[in-house]
Amino acid sequence: MKKIYCVILMIISISITVTAAEAASYTDTYNPTDMLLGTGDDQTSSYSWEFDITDSGFNPLTQDVTNALVNLQLRDDKGPQDGAEKLSFSAESTSLAGNANANHDLSFNLFDNGNALLRLSDIGKLLIVLTATSGDFIFEAATLHVTATDVDVNSVPLPAAVWLFGSGLAGLIGAAARRKSTAVQA
């Protein structure tokens, strides 16, 4: 009987051990080679591109995006429309900045943008649109920093695993007790 209890305790201790998911970081940089954006008649006012973190090793089948940050590198063009250089910025059709100052570098955390994080988790790609709303400025580069965790698609949820293990354990204990009572009666 002591052997059965030792085996049961060993199985319990092994089953309670939970492995933690490891976080991975991915970076994708987009460089449009000094794209001039502006609201003048002869200027391009809007520019779009797509980040793709699958090129860096992200696998949407086995990983979930937990956080993402976009850094924009901008500079003043020193042109005739200097002054109120403003921009709007959107990720996956969700506006993140409606009238931001375009005279310096900007960072946008996509943590609160469910569409962007969902799109990154689903396919590893993210559509970005940068639009000049007033003045003109140079868009030098953009960098996407992503944190993702591994997802074990074959795992059993912990409550279900504990319930299943407990049921099996109760069955083993019941069978051992039944066998013991049968041996005592004989």
Side-chain angles (χ1 to χ4, degrees), residues 28 42 54 72 80 86 139 176:
D28 190 22
D42 60 343
T54 60
L72 299 177
K86 303 283 184 182
F139 168 42

Side-chain angles (χ1 to χ4, degrees), residues 46-67:
S46 189
Y47 190 74
S48 64
W49 69 96
E50 186 174 64
F51 284 117
D52 185 357
I53 56 174
T54 60
D55 295 341
S56 304
F58 174 78
N59 185 344
L61 298 176
T62 61
Q63 294 177 298
D64 277 336
V65 173
T66 56
N67 199 6

Side-chain angles (χ1 to χ4, degrees), residues 132-184:
T133 56
S134 72
D136 53 2
F137 57 90
I138 295 175
F139 168 42
E140 293 180 331
T143 306
L144 173 66
H145 302 282
V146 173
T147 303
T149 56
D150 292 336
V151 176
D152 186 4
V153 293
N154 297 321
S155 69
V156 176
L158 190 58
V162 169
W163 184 86
L164 184 61
F165 177 73
S167 299
L169 187 60
L172 284 174
I173 292 171
R178 186 176 190 189
R179 190 171 39 208
K180 182 178 179 183
S181 70
T182 305
V184 170

